[in-house]
Amino acid sequence: MKKTINGEQYYLPSDLASEQKAIYIHIIDWKRKNITTERGMYKGHEYDAIFPNETTIPAMMYKPIIPLLEEMQQSDFAYKPHKFAYHAVSSQTACINLFMPLLLSENVDCILSMIPGCPSDFSRIARDKLFRGFCFEYWGQDIKQGAGVLNDHSKRAGTDADVAIAYYNMEGKLCLWLIEHKLSEKEFTVCRAYRSKANKYKDNCTQCNLMSIAEKPQKCHYHMIGYKYWDILKKNLGRFQGSIEIKGCPFKDGLNQLWRNQVLAFALQETGIYSRVTFSVCHHAKNTMLDKSINQYKTLTNEDKMFSSFTNYDVLKAVNTLDSELQKWIQWYKDLYCF
C-alpha cells in the first residue's frame, strides 16, 4: 500500500497498526539512508521493507558479527533463517543484532546480570556449551534430535526459542535461559492446532477450560497428533493456577506461543542436562501490543519466576561498559531500532 507520511512516500503492508507503522517507518528511513532506497517485490507488490535482492547474509545484519555468524552456521548450532530474514523489519535479524554482540563480549557476565529478566541464579555464561555459550532458534537439538523433546519438531513446525543462553549458576550447575524476541509483531503466535482443518475437536477449544483439558488431553488436537505439550503441562499444573478471563482453552490465541516455550523449558529441565531452565520475552520498547498477552500469562502463572519479560531498551541500559567495540554497536543499534 502506497502511503504518504510527513511528506514522504512509503510502500507498506496495508494492515499495520499504528505502533507497527512507527517501527516500520523508522527502520525504512534508516535503510534508505544507509543501504538503499530501492524497493523489493512480494506477490507482485512493491514494499520498502523488502530488499531488491537477497544475499547469503541479511543486509541489515551488524557487519562486525558476520564472520562469527558464518562460523556458527558451519557448526552444530546453525540456525534456519526465517522466510523474511532479509526483510528490513525482520524480527530474527533484529534479535541477532541485539544479542550476538553482547553475548560475544568479554563483559557478558556483568551485562546479562543487569538485564531485568536475567535468572536470579546466573553466575557466568557457559562458553563450553552450545556455540560459545549461546545459539539462535534453539529447540533442544543438543539433547534430542529428530522430533525433539516435545515431539513437535519438523522442517515446517515446532517449538523453539529465538535465543538460548547456557550458563553456570552460583553452585556451578549448568542452566539454560530461553528468550523469545519480538520486534513489530501485534501478537504472539496463535494455536495452529485450533485453526487446523484436521482438528475435529474445535468445540473443545472454545468450551473446555485449562483444567478439563489437562485432565483429558485427548480433547486437544496437539495431543492427538503426538505432541507432548499436555503431558509436560500436567506435571507442572500447579504453576498455572492464576485466574484469567479467557473462555475456553487459554492457549488457543496469543498465549499459545508463551505456553509452548514454557513447556519446552519444562521438558528440557526434565532431561536433567540443565539444572534449571527459565523463559523470557524481549520485545521492542515501543511495541506495547504484546503487553496484554504477557500480563495475562503472568497472571495465569501467578507471577512465577519461571517467566519474565523485558525490552530491547532494558538490554541497552545493561550494557554499561567502556568497551569501544560495544559502544560502536550500541550507537549503531540505537540509530537503527530506537526512536
Side-chain angles (χ1 to χ4, degrees), residues 157 189-203 205 217 219-227 229-230 249 251-253 256 259-260:
T189 304
V190 298
C191 183
R192 291 180 180 176
Y194 173 48
R195 285 158 177 74
S196 172
K197 292 180 180 179
N199 184 4
K200 300 177 182 179
Y201 316 101
K202 290 182 185 289
D203 288 345
C205 305
K219 292 179 178 180
C220 176
H221 183 64
Y222 275 141
H223 187 79
M224 298 304 290
I225 60 176
Y227 293 176
Y229 306 159
W230 291 99
C249 176
F251 306 127
K252 65 182 182 298
D253 296 311
N256 181 264
W259 168 58
R260 286 170 53 204

Side-chain angles (χ1 to χ4, degrees), residues 82-96:
H82 289 173
K83 180 179 180 179
F84 292 108
Y86 303 92
H87 192 293
V89 195
S90 163
S91 184
Q92 184 185 58
T93 299
C95 174
I96 296 170

Side-chain angles (χ1 to χ4, degrees), residues 198-251:
N199 184 4
K200 300 177 182 179
Y201 316 101
K202 290 182 185 289
D203 288 345
N204 292 337
C205 305
T206 56
Q207 297 176 16
C208 299
N209 61 26
L210 168 61
M211 296 305 167
S212 65
I213 301 176
E215 290 173 2
K216 295 182 178 180
Q218 61 269 26
K219 292 179 178 180
C220 176
H221 183 64
Y222 275 141
H223 187 79
M224 298 304 290
I225 60 176
Y227 293 176
K228 303 295 184 181
Y229 306 159
W230 291 99
D231 294 336
I232 299 297
L233 181 83
K234 196 167 185 178
K235 299 174 186 177
N236 298 276
L237 198 55
R239 307 177 87 165
F240 292 85
Q241 298 296 315
S243 178
I244 56 175
E245 295 181 1
I246 293 180
K247 184 179 179 180
C249 176
F251 306 127

Side-chain angles (χ1 to χ4, degrees), residues 140-209:
Q141 58 266 47
D142 57 329
I143 296 176
K144 186 177 181 180
Q145 289 289 311
V149 293
L150 295 178
N151 201 41
D152 72 342
H153 186 76
S154 69
K155 291 182 179 180
R156 293 188 297 177
T159 304
D160 54 39
D162 290 334
V163 190
I165 302 172
Y167 69 92
Y168 290 106
N169 67 12
M170 306 297 183
E171 298 177 351
K173 295 179 179 179
L174 182 64
C175 301
L176 193 67
W177 183 13
L178 306 179
I179 302 172
E180 180 67 24
H181 175 272
K182 297 294 184 186
L183 181 61
S184 65
E185 294 88 340
K186 292 180 184 178
E187 181 58 280
F188 296 99
T189 304
V190 298
C191 183
R192 291 180 180 176
Y194 173 48
R195 285 158 177 74
S196 172
K197 292 180 180 179
N199 184 4
K200 300 177 182 179
Y201 316 101
K202 290 182 185 289
D203 288 345
N204 292 337
C205 305
T206 56
Q207 297 176 16
C208 299
N209 61 26

Side-chain angles (χ1 to χ4, degrees), residues 272-283:
I273 303 297
Y274 295 101
S275 178
R276 184 186 184 212
V277 185
T278 52
F279 165 54
S280 298
V281 166
C282 173
H283 64 92

